[in-house]
Amino acid sequence: MAQIVCICGPSGVGKTSVLEQLQKLDNPWSYPVSTTTRIPRPEEKSGEYYHFLSDEDFTIRVERGDFIEHAIVHGIQYGLQKADLESLWDQGIEKSIVLVDIQGVRTIKKLYPNVISIFLMPDNFSDLEERLQARIPDNPEEISLRLENAKVEINEHKRECDWHVINNKDNLTSTVAYIVNIINWGLVI
């Protein structure tokens, strides 16, 4: 039976950094790639952490039913395509870690019984703002929107997840170790 670990949290909290560290570990997990309509950042290549699509292509795939979950987050479409997850399952890889937003957690929990959900939080809000400014230096409106959304996510939606993990910007190794313990404990049950 497939087992899915959903990691979510506000923009800039370090979900991709955590995923990169998890991928370096010797483990039986797969990491399906999400799909988005946002413009790739300079260091990003399609197929690594995201498949990048136009709004039109994304909408066509939604209408065809290609997505397990999809949502509009910060005005951008994101989703997890069925084929990306099911192709792993067809290969016998049934333990997957996915990065989704809280809407994705809700949808995946309805579809699959063995879901562990982890809400990643910043150690403090000023660190989150610094991370966003480093990532989106020339767009104060976008940073402001993401910070407002982060407040809502942390204050209203984190309780929808099974676990809450603080990602201390100075101790990513500890954050990843804690998440590995949660996953290993949860997958044994």
Side-chain angles (χ1 to χ4, degrees):
M1 178 178 284
Q3 298 173 311
I4 301 172
V5 176
C6 295
I7 298 177
C8 73
S11 178
V13 77
K15 296 180 295 287
T16 302
S17 296
V18 165
L19 187 67
E20 288 171 347
Q21 295 304 308
L22 288 168
Q23 288 176 322
K24 292 177 182 177
L25 303 175
D26 181 27
N27 61 65
W29 313 320
S30 66
Y31 306 91
V33 177
S34 293
T35 301
T36 185
T37 59
R38 78 165 169 75
I39 297 170
R41 296 185 185 110
E43 72 278 3
E44 293 178 322
K45 295 178 186 170
S46 191
E48 285 184 355
Y49 296 108
Y50 290 102
H51 298 293
F52 296 98
L53 298 178
S54 68
D55 280 314
E56 182 180 343
D57 288 342
F58 194 101
T59 300
I60 289 169
R61 291 179 191 213
V62 167
E63 290 170 356
R64 279 195 321 227
D66 290 355
F67 288 93
I68 290 172
E69 63 83 25
H70 62 89
I72 296 175
V73 182
H74 314 298
I76 300 167
Q77 296 186 81
Y78 289 89
L80 181 62
Q81 294 186 66
K82 290 177 187 175
D84 289 329
L85 199 54
E86 291 172 353
S87 68
L88 295 165
W89 296 344
D90 291 344
Q91 297 171 45
I93 304 168
E94 294 188 335
K95 296 177 182 178
S96 299
I97 297 175
V98 297
L99 301 182
V100 294
D101 71 313
I102 195 65
Q103 298 168 79
V105 170
R106 289 181 197 131
T107 301
I108 291 172
K109 279 186 166 191
K110 287 179 187 173
L111 296 172
Y112 303 99
N114 292 333
V115 173
I116 297 170
S117 56
I118 299 170
F119 191 91
L120 199 59
M121 299 187 310
D123 47 353
N124 62 61
F125 232 75
S126 61
D127 284 344
L128 185 64
E129 187 170 7
E130 285 177 25
R131 290 176 189 176
L132 288 172
Q133 287 173 343
R135 200 168 79 186
I136 317 167
D138 299 327
N139 196 330
E141 294 84 18
E142 186 174 350
I143 292 169
S144 179
L145 171 65
R146 289 174 185 251
L147 287 171
E148 285 305 311
N149 288 344
K151 289 176 187 172
V152 171
E153 288 179 66
I154 291 168
N155 294 327
E156 298 179 21
H157 301 299
K158 75 177 180 190
R159 66 182 164 271
E160 296 179 51
C161 290
D162 304 316
W163 295 88
H164 306 147
V165 176
I166 294 174
N167 186 19
N168 183 310
K169 72 173 186 170
D170 298 324
N171 201 348
L172 182 60
T173 303
S174 176
T175 301
V176 170
Y178 191 65
I179 289 172
V180 167
N181 285 335
I182 290 169
I183 293 169
N184 287 335
W185 180 81
L187 294 180
V188 172
I189 297 176

